[in-house]
Amino acid sequence: EKTIRACKSHSAESAALAGGVASNSGLRRVMRDACAQHGIRLHIPKPEYCTDNAAMIAACGYFKWKQGKFSSLDLNANPDLPWESSCGPK
């Protein structure tokens, strides 16, 4: 429902379903039906291309571990961490 509303409110003619959640066959079916009903083109990659970022996060953790950088066990999720604390290039 939110995807359809967003497409309509922004006059979008198409939508994309991607990431790990796009592997869900039920969601794929519901999105196809809803988009078809509202005349919205839906783009969905093949399931083998619908992965999450677990491998990327594991690789980041590995390189942090190699650098001797650890977090305390009470660490909480924080989407606003500065770039310097990520695994990105310096």
Side-chain angles (χ1 to χ4, degrees):
E1 292 175 19
K2 289 182 181 181
T3 301
I4 300 301
R5 274 188 280 151
C7 286
K8 295 215 176 264
S9 69
H10 294 284
S11 301
E13 297 176 359
S14 62
L17 183 61
V21 70
S23 292
N24 182 306
S25 60
L27 179 59
R28 293 168 83 94
R29 185 183 66 255
V30 168
M31 286 296 294
R32 277 192 194 107
D33 293 348
C35 286
Q37 180 181 355
H38 292 276
I40 298 167
R41 281 188 315 248
L42 180 63
H43 305 279
I44 310 174
K46 294 178 181 179
E48 58 264 29
Y49 300 117
C50 298
T51 60
D52 62 24
N53 60 1
M56 179 188 68
I57 292 169
C60 180
Y62 170 77
F63 288 111
K64 291 288 188 180
W65 173 78
K66 292 283 285 183
Q67 296 169 358
K69 296 182 178 179
F70 304 96
S71 298
S72 64
L73 295 177
D74 63 347
L75 178 68
N76 197 358
N78 181 355
D80 297 320
L81 288 174
W83 178 252
E84 298 81 38
S85 64
S86 73
C87 284
K90 302 296 185 245

